[in-house]
C-alpha cells in the first residue's frame, strides 16, 4: 500500500462545475500538505499549502485537511478549461529535508 | 525571477549509455531535490542536497544512479549504463532551507531505447 493514495481519474466535468479532488494518507507523522498542478510536459506548480486541519481558501481553490481521518481535499469552484491538468497531492513530515511524498495524481478535464 | 531550470529537456539514449542531467536551482535556495516521475505516476523522491552535502540518497534505485552538487548550486544527476526501466521524467526542485514548499523545474524526459 502506498503512503499516499489518490484516484487517478480521469475526471471529466463541464465548465463551471465544482471539482473535488481527494487523497488519503497512512502516516500520521505527516504534517504539511500541498497541492500541485501539472500541465502536460511541464513541472509541478504549487497551488496550495497548509499544515493544519481545516480549510484554506485562495480564489477559486479551497484546500481541506482532516488529520483525524488522514484525508485531504482540493475543491475548485467555477472550473475553467484552463484548469485541465493533473493534480498532485504532496505531503511531508518536516524531516529529511522535507522530501515530498506524492499521490499518483488525478487527471482533470474541464470541457467548455 | 528565474525559476528552476533543467537541461536537456529531452534525452534519448541507447541502452547501456551513460547520461547526465543538469539542474540549476533558484538562486539562494539551499535545498535541492531530485525526483523521478514515471508515466502516469506521481514524482518519487530520489535524493536531497543541502548546499553541497548529499544528506539523503535513499530513493536512488540502484548504484547506477549518482548525483552531485559540488559547489552548492548546480546539480547533476548521472545514470550509468542506462536501462529501459530508467525511462521517465527526472524533476529537480529547490527550496529555502527548512521550508516545506518546493519549486520544480520543467523536468528532463529520458527515453532509453
Amino acid at each position: 500500500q502506498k503512503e499516499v493514495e489518490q484516484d487517478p481519474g480521469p475526471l471529466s466535468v463541464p465548465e463551471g462545475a465544482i471539482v473535488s479532488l481527494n487523497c488519503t494518507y497512512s502516516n500520521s507523522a505527516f504534517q504539511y500538505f500541498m497541492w500541485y498542478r501539472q500541465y502536460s510536459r511541464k513541472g509541478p506548480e504549487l497551488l496550495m499549502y497548509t499544515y493544519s486541519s481545516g480549510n484554506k481558501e485562495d480564489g477559486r481553490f479551497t484546500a481541506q485537511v482532516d488529520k483525524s481521518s488522514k484525508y485531504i481535499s482540493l475543491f475548485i469552484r467555477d472550473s475553467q478549461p484552463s484548469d485541465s491538468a493533473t493534480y498532485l497531492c504532496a505531503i511531508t513530515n518536516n524531516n529529511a529535508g522535507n522530501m515530498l511524498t506524492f499521490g499518483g495524481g488525478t487527471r482533470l478535464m474541464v470541457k467548455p | 525571477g528565474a525559476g528552476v531550470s533543467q537541461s536537456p529537456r529531452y534525452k534519448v539514449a541507447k541502452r547501456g549509455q551513460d547520461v547526465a542531467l543538469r539542474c540549476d536551482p533558484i538562486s539562494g535556495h539551499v535545498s535541492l531535490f531530485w525526483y523521478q516521475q514515471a508515466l502516469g505516476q506521481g514524482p518519487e523522491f530520489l535524493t536531497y542536497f543541502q548546499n553541497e552535502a548529499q544528506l539523503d540518497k535513499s530513493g536512488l534505485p540502484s548504484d547506477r544512479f549518482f548525483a552531485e552538487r559540488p559547489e552548492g548550486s548546480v546539480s547533476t544527476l548521472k545514470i550509468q549504463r542506462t536501462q529501459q526501466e530508467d525511462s521517465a521524467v527526472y524533476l529537480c526542485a529547490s527550496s529555502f532551507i527548512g521550508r516545506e514548499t518546493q519549486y520544480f523545474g520543467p523536468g528532463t524526459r529520458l527515453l532509453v531505447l
Side-chain angles (χ1 to χ4, degrees):
Chain A
Q1 183 184 4
K2 291 188 174 183
E3 284 192 285
V4 182
E5 297 279 357
Q6 187 174 5
D7 188 330
L11 180 62
S12 182
V13 301
E15 183 176 354
I18 296 175
V19 176
S20 173
L21 305 167
N22 310 292
C23 285
T24 58
Y25 62 95
S26 57
N27 188 345
S28 58
F30 286 136
Q31 298 179 26
Y32 300 87
F33 309 90
M34 281 152 267
W35 285 94
Y36 282 82
R37 177 175 62 195
Q38 187 173 27
Y39 290 114
S40 180
R41 299 183 181 272
K42 301 287 187 183
E45 168 195 11
L46 182 66
L47 273 180
M48 300 283 289
Y49 159 64
T50 185
Y51 63 90
S52 60
S53 283
N55 294 351
K56 181 177 181 180
E57 189 173 323
D58 184 1
R60 295 186 296 111
F61 299 90
T62 299
Q64 189 174 79
V65 175
D66 182 346
K67 288 188 176 181
S68 63
S69 301
K70 299 188 184 67
Y71 192 85
I72 64 173
S73 301
L74 177 71
F75 299 96
I76 307 174
R77 290 184 300 280
D78 188 25
S79 55
Q80 303 295 309
S82 58
D83 295 329
S84 298
T86 295
Y87 289 80
L88 298 155
C89 61
I91 307 178
T92 186
N93 61 0
N94 202 29
N95 68 8
N98 293 319
M99 58 163 278
L100 297 176
T101 301
F102 284 88
T106 299
R107 187 173 159 215
L108 172 66
M109 292 180 290
V110 181
K111 296 186 175 180
Chain B
V4 177
S5 61
Q6 293 186 245
S7 61
R9 291 294 313 278
Y10 302 92
K11 177 70 179 178
V12 179
K14 291 183 179 178
R15 188 162 57 93
Q17 278 186 329
D18 297 349
V19 298
L21 313 179
R22 176 187 169 106
C23 172
D24 280 87
I26 293 172
S27 178
H29 280 191
V30 168
S31 299
L32 185 146
F33 303 80
W34 284 97
Y35 294 85
Q36 180 190 59
Q37 186 174 25
L39 187 65
Q41 304 295 317
E44 294 194 353
F45 171 77
L46 292 176
T47 188
Y48 159 62
F49 289 86
Q50 187 179 113
N51 293 306
E52 68 279 4
Q54 188 175 20
L55 299 186
D56 190 336
K57 54 182 181 180
S58 61
L60 296 177
S62 78
D63 58 8
R64 296 185 295 104
F65 286 70
F66 172 76
E68 60 182 6
R69 194 185 184 196
E71 297 179 357
S73 56
V74 170
S75 177
T76 303
L77 176 67
K78 297 179 179 178
I79 309 173
Q80 297 176 324
R81 305 181 303 281
T82 52
Q83 304 295 314
Q84 285 186 321
E85 62 262 28
D86 300 335
S87 296
V89 176
Y90 291 86
L91 294 163
C92 176
S94 68
S95 71
F96 288 111
I97 189 168
R99 300 295 295 273
E100 298 76 24
T101 52
Q102 298 177 19
Y103 298 88
F104 283 80
T108 294
R109 187 174 297 268
L110 172 65
L111 177 62
V112 181
L113 301 176

